[in-house]
Amino acid sequence: IWKNYARQVDSTWALYDKNRLSIMRNWYESEFGSYSHQEKNVFYPFSGPDWLNIYTIYPNGNKYVMAGLELVGNNPEPIKLTDAELSKGLDGLRGGLKTLIERGYFITSYMGRDLYASKFNGVLPVIYFFMARTNCNIVDQKFIGLDAEGIEHEISTAMRTESNANYMRGVKILFQHADSKKLGIVYY
């Protein structure tokens, strides 16, 4: 299952990198030059799971704050899934990525159809996919909740439960930037 999926995705990714990402990187470098190399915090409202575009343009951010209507979802362990669950999850992930590959952005209603019909639900699997494809190493992940004062608390799931219902729920991902030892944080 995985080898077939990887072969299909590798082919699509190479084409996408050539036809879109490399053009974005070159444009941004020519327009903003040294600014793109500065270490800044980056806020991306209405991002959904679009780690790919934000990291392509701002690869040196310290903190990335992404916000969207889509649910965080979960992070299933593929080894614990049946072949049918894994296949359905990978197909949903590929379907969820299709719109971005074709148009350069996500469509929320399409993501609902593709990303919530399997064990690979929510934006988290998509963000992880893009982090892997941009050579970022995930160091840690915590589900978090912000209380009314904006204080961060670790919670067991980003899905609504009785114990976290009063929090604004999300995820905090600690990662190592591509080709460096520098750490960064993604909040969604």
Side-chain angles (χ1 to χ4, degrees), residues 76-94:
E77 293 181 53
I79 194 115
K80 293 183 177 178
L81 301 177
T82 66
D83 284 352
E85 289 171 331
L86 180 60
S87 183
K88 185 175 182 179
L90 292 174
D91 286 346
L93 183 57
R94 185 174 44 243

Side-chain angles (χ1 to χ4, degrees), residues 2 5 13 48-52 66 72-78 93 97 106 115 120-143 170-176 185-188:
W2 172 251
Y5 176 79
W13 185 262
D50 189 9
W51 170 255
L52 182 58
M66 301 170 65
V72 171
N74 63 33
N75 186 23
E77 293 181 53
L93 183 57
L97 299 172
F106 286 103
L115 299 181
F120 288 38
N121 60 44
V123 299
L124 199 52
V126 178
I127 292 171
Y128 274 12
F129 175 88
F130 287 143
M131 292 183 93
R133 283 291 174 165
T134 54
N135 296 316
C136 295
N137 295 312
I138 297 164
V139 176
D140 193 25
Q141 173 213 299
K142 291 181 169 76
F143 292 115
V171 66
K172 177 181 181 178
I173 304 166
L174 179 66
F175 73 98
Q176 185 178 13
I185 298 173
V186 176
Y187 289 97
Y188 180 93

Side-chain angles (χ1 to χ4, degrees), residues 3-18:
K3 287 180 184 180
N4 184 41
Y5 176 79
R7 210 175 14 260
Q8 292 172 1
V9 169
D10 286 345
S11 171
T12 302
W13 185 262
L15 204 60
Y16 188 72
D17 187 59
K18 177 184 172 194

Side-chain angles (χ1 to χ4, degrees), residues 21-182:
L21 296 180
S22 63
I23 293 168
M24 285 174 61
R25 286 189 290 268
N26 293 338
W27 172 82
Y28 196 81
E29 185 64 33
S30 72
E31 294 297 318
F32 296 98
S34 63
Y35 185 79
S36 67
H37 302 288
Q38 295 178 11
E39 296 180 7
K40 300 275 187 184
N41 294 333
V42 182
F43 176 55
Y44 186 4
F46 311 109
S47 66
D50 189 9
W51 170 255
L52 182 58
N53 285 318
I54 196 170
Y55 194 72
T56 297
I57 293 176
Y58 299 106
N60 298 306
N62 293 318
K63 290 180 186 171
Y64 297 85
V65 179
M66 301 170 65
L69 298 173
E70 300 80 16
L71 298 174
V72 171
N74 63 33
N75 186 23
E77 293 181 53
I79 194 115
K80 293 183 177 178
L81 301 177
T82 66
D83 284 352
E85 289 171 331
L86 180 60
S87 183
K88 185 175 182 179
L90 292 174
D91 286 346
L93 183 57
R94 185 174 44 243
L97 299 172
K98 184 178 182 205
T99 306
L100 177 75
I101 300 296
E102 291 173 350
R103 299 178 185 218
Y105 56 89
F106 286 103
I107 297 175
T108 301
S109 61
Y110 292 7
M111 285 191 299
R113 176 192 65 215
D114 296 322
L115 299 181
Y116 298 106
S118 76
K119 299 275 185 180
F120 288 38
N121 60 44
V123 299
L124 199 52
V126 178
I127 292 171
Y128 274 12
F129 175 88
F130 287 143
M131 292 183 93
R133 283 291 174 165
T134 54
N135 296 316
C136 295
N137 295 312
I138 297 164
V139 176
D140 193 25
Q141 173 213 299
K142 291 181 169 76
F143 292 115
I144 59 166
L146 298 179
D147 64 21
E149 284 77 44
I151 297 171
E152 183 181 305
H153 302 272
E154 187 171 348
I155 56 179
S156 62
T157 179
M159 302 309 283
R160 183 185 174 96
T161 66
E162 193 174 313
S163 64
N164 70 21
N166 292 326
Y167 293 138
M168 176 66 67
R169 296 166 305 282
V171 66
K172 177 181 181 178
I173 304 166
L174 179 66
F175 73 98
Q176 185 178 13
H177 282 272
D179 306 321
S180 82
K181 301 283 184 206
K182 187 171 100 70

